[in-house]
Amino acid sequence: MPELPEVEVTRRGIAPGLVGRRIDAVAVREPRLRWPIPPGLARTLTGTTVRRVDRRGKYLLLDCAGTGRAGWLILHLGMSGSLRFVAPGTPPAKHEHFDLQAGGAVLRLTDPRRFGAVLWHPAADGPPSDHPLLAGLGVEPFAPEFSAQRLFEATRGRTASVKQTLLAGAIVVGVGNIYASESLFRARIHPGTAAGRVSLARYARLVPEIRAVLAEAIDKGGSTLRDFRTSDGPGYFQLDYRVYDRAGLPCRVCGTPIRRIVQGQRSTFYCPRCQR
DNA sequence: CAATTTACCTGGGTGC
DNA sequence: TGCACCCAGGTAAATT
């Protein structure tokens, strides 16, 4: 599943092939994603030039501008989406729903479960941060604004578990299901603890661990990164998980069997001895 | 009213 | 071979 690290690796992978290039053609083969791909998108995009490729949370933002048109193409990979470049004329396989042809390269979106999104945010509607899907997002985990103090203050009075609170993305983005379990393990915090009852000192342990685990995953993705021009995209890399998906296996620190619990219909993994 | 919980979208994989 | 069922993440809707 593409989480923030995969999306960031994708951003780095596709940006060189897009920035400064003119969009020559757009193909929409299957508009039924999480939300419909806007009907006029091909007409809007064709002829614009990609100025930047940014990321906000798990959203990719392509800054596109041309004569009389400007805005951002918003891409989300959902839980099964990926992007890669293919040679022009490559016949689309099943689940390959969307193409962006720019300067001889074709960026192709594959998404079997169609939980992803391709949306357009006109510049006239303000910056992308004004878009309803982006407006409520928390801070970026690598931004200086993300601090133990901020986490502490934002969670006072909250009764929801610290794991679910991180996952919700309203305080900090990018801590998906895998990285929530992993970072809480590294910080030795029990995932079931009410967010409002976690001390400032514990959040001071957690913040650097969140950054470390995300940075590690990005590095790993960068190092295993395939050629976005010819091959099949970022190929989801796996961190050497310490607790995630390790139910029943011995904790790498103390040997106690890792437990799996369900919080908000989602799996959480933790070590009952190391995390309290 | 804000916080919290539940439902839903889809299709690959699994087990019978 | 077919089919019921589970699971995944992010958002909307429902509920507290």
Side-chain angles (χ1 to χ4, degrees):
Chain A
M1 288 124 270
E3 296 213 26
L4 184 142
E6 289 87 339
V7 177
E8 175 60 20
V9 168
T10 298
R11 186 192 71 77
R12 295 177 188 182
I14 67 174
L18 292 176
V19 175
R21 299 219 157 90
R22 178 184 182 277
I23 295 174
D24 303 311
V26 174
V28 178
R29 284 178 293 272
E30 174 53 89
R32 294 174 303 165
L33 303 186
R34 181 72 166 78
W35 297 277
I37 298 178
L41 183 66
R43 184 181 292 266
T44 303
L45 271 180
T46 305
T48 64
T49 296
V50 180
R51 299 194 293 194
R52 301 176 53 86
V53 179
D54 292 321
R55 180 190 56 73
R56 178 72 177 98
K58 299 181 190 176
Y59 292 90
L60 289 167
L61 306 171
L62 277 59
D63 179 352
C64 303
T67 47
R69 287 159 295 161
W72 286 266
L73 184 69
I74 302 176
L75 301 175
H76 196 287
L77 300 177
M79 47 191 281
S80 62
S82 64
L83 289 164
R84 62 179 170 141
F85 285 109
V86 299
T90 305
K94 198 179 179 183
H95 304 313
E96 299 190 336
H97 309 309
F98 177 80
D99 283 352
L100 207 61
Q101 181 163 350
V106 174
L107 184 70
R108 180 162 284 176
L109 172 72
T110 307
D111 186 3
R113 295 190 186 163
R114 298 195 278 113
F115 281 21
V118 177
L119 300 167
W120 176 251
H121 181 75
D125 290 1
S129 56
D130 286 352
H131 190 282
L133 290 171
L134 279 68
L137 296 182
V139 297
E140 287 290 325
F142 295 111
E145 291 76 30
F146 178 51
S147 64
Q149 189 65 38
R150 187 186 188 99
L151 204 40
F152 181 75
E153 286 172 11
T155 52
R156 288 313 89 185
R158 299 291 196 91
T159 59
S161 72
V162 60
K163 192 265 189 167
Q164 289 177 278
T165 303
L166 289 172
L167 200 56
I171 300 173
V172 58
V173 296
V175 187
N177 204 43
I178 295 170
Y179 302 112
S181 283
E182 291 296 311
S183 58
L184 286 167
F185 171 79
R186 293 184 187 211
R188 308 194 307 280
I189 298 168
H190 193 292
T193 311
R197 297 195 174 278
V198 176
S199 68
L200 180 58
R202 283 169 163 249
Y203 279 134
R205 284 210 307 261
L206 181 60
V207 167
E209 296 297 355
I210 287 173
R211 287 187 172 133
V213 75
L214 291 174
E216 221 172 281
I218 291 170
D219 284 350
K220 208 142 232 178
S223 65
T224 63
L225 183 58
R226 308 217 182 136
D227 184 356
F228 270 78
R229 302 211 135 265
T230 58
S231 186
D232 44 2
Y236 298 124
F237 44 93
Q238 288 190 353
L239 220 49
D240 206 2
Y241 300 141
R242 302 198 191 164
V243 288
Y244 186 79
D245 208 18
R246 285 179 50 80
L249 297 174
C251 170
R252 296 192 197 281
V253 171
C254 75
T256 303
I258 298 301
R259 276 189 198 161
R260 172 187 181 270
I261 57 173
V262 175
Q263 297 179 290
Q265 3 249 41
R266 262 167 199 68
S267 297
T268 303
F269 301 87
Y270 73 102
C271 171
R273 183 164 174 190
C274 293
Q275 295 170 261
R276 293 177 185 277

